[in-house]
Amino acid sequence: MGPEAGTTAGTGAAVARPADEPSPAPGAEEYPSLDLANSAIALPGGHFTDFLGTPAAADHWLAAHALAPEDAGLRETCAAQLRSLREHVRSLIAARVEGQAPPAGALNAVNDALTRAPAAELLHWSPERGLHRAAAHPTTQILDHALAALAADAARLLTGPDADRLTACGSAPCNRYLLRRGRRHWCSTRCGDRARAARAYARRTARPDPASPAEDA
């Protein structure tokens, strides 16, 4: 884990995002699956940032979303599974935004993730708590539970009332998705400023029509 990591998962306290990671897109704080879809960001100049690009980064991302303890110790195979689910969730969101049929492979992958961890809260007993219910969560299944939780959240997003508000950020080259609020189509103030600057530049550099009356005057 990097030094920027904060409290462990399950405490209810937020873990700080890396300094170079932008604020969540609108809706991503409510839907972790939307933040997952936005965890690989296209930047101006052909640059690209992947916040799941290494096992340590994936560890931190899961801890920041209360989906694993900070010392989960993910290996590359686990980080790769998380990145794979991200791409499938992105495919489903893109299909929803574009009004297209979802790819069968993405549906199958999300459904597979949904079945990886038991959802039932079983009955347990301990001297300290007495009878209580809790879902099984052995440390050997941390990733499976995280994948199942993210898949369930994606299903909730894509089938709930907020699905109609899903849209893609309108500022190239940004590839993030967001929940539209009013007429806003930007995932961040930075993207909105960049889009407005691009439009202003295009207007300033537009060549006048030589056949227009203004040119003939």
Side-chain angles (χ1 to χ4, degrees):
M1 288 295 167
E4 72 277 8
T7 58
T8 57
T11 64
V15 176
R17 299 167 77 92
D20 58 344
E21 184 175 355
S23 298
E29 289 185 311
E30 180 181 356
Y31 293 97
S33 58
L34 183 56
D35 209 34
L36 174 70
N38 291 337
S39 61
I41 305 174
L43 301 170
H47 299 290
F48 193 80
T49 298
D50 188 349
F51 295 104
L52 305 177
T54 66
D59 247 344
H60 177 69
W61 192 93
L62 288 176
H65 293 77
L67 291 169
E70 282 190 65
D71 57 352
L74 295 187
R75 297 181 180 274
E76 174 55 28
T77 54
C78 299
Q81 289 182 63
L82 190 59
R83 292 193 297 267
S84 177
L85 180 64
R86 174 182 64 196
E87 297 312 308
H88 291 305
V89 170
R90 282 186 62 85
S91 293
L92 295 181
I93 292 176
R96 183 65 175 77
V97 168
E98 296 164 8
Q100 303 293 328
L107 282 175
N108 290 338
V110 171
N111 283 331
D112 177 69
L114 279 167
T115 63
R116 287 193 173 209
E121 293 187 344
L122 304 181
L123 191 62
H124 300 270
W125 182 88
S126 69
E128 296 78 18
R129 299 181 59 186
L131 282 171
H132 62 279
R133 296 185 64 185
H137 194 166
T139 56
T140 56
Q141 295 181 6
I142 286 175
L143 180 67
D144 285 345
H145 278 264
L147 293 175
L150 289 165
D153 186 75
R156 179 173 69 97
L157 170 61
L158 291 164
T159 61
D162 286 331
D164 290 336
R165 298 169 54 209
L166 278 168
T167 190
C169 182
S171 177
C174 184
N175 62 340
R176 296 209 297 177
Y177 292 101
L178 64 142
L179 291 183
R180 184 173 54 250
R181 294 172 180 169
R183 299 178 61 185
R184 175 176 173 176
H185 282 255
W186 324 119
C187 73
S188 65
T189 301
R190 179 171 56 185
C191 277
D193 290 345
R194 186 166 62 235
R196 285 187 286 270
R199 287 201 302 267
Y201 178 79
R203 287 194 296 268
R204 289 196 305 270
T205 58
R207 294 181 179 179
D209 183 352
S212 67
E215 281 296 298
D216 293 338

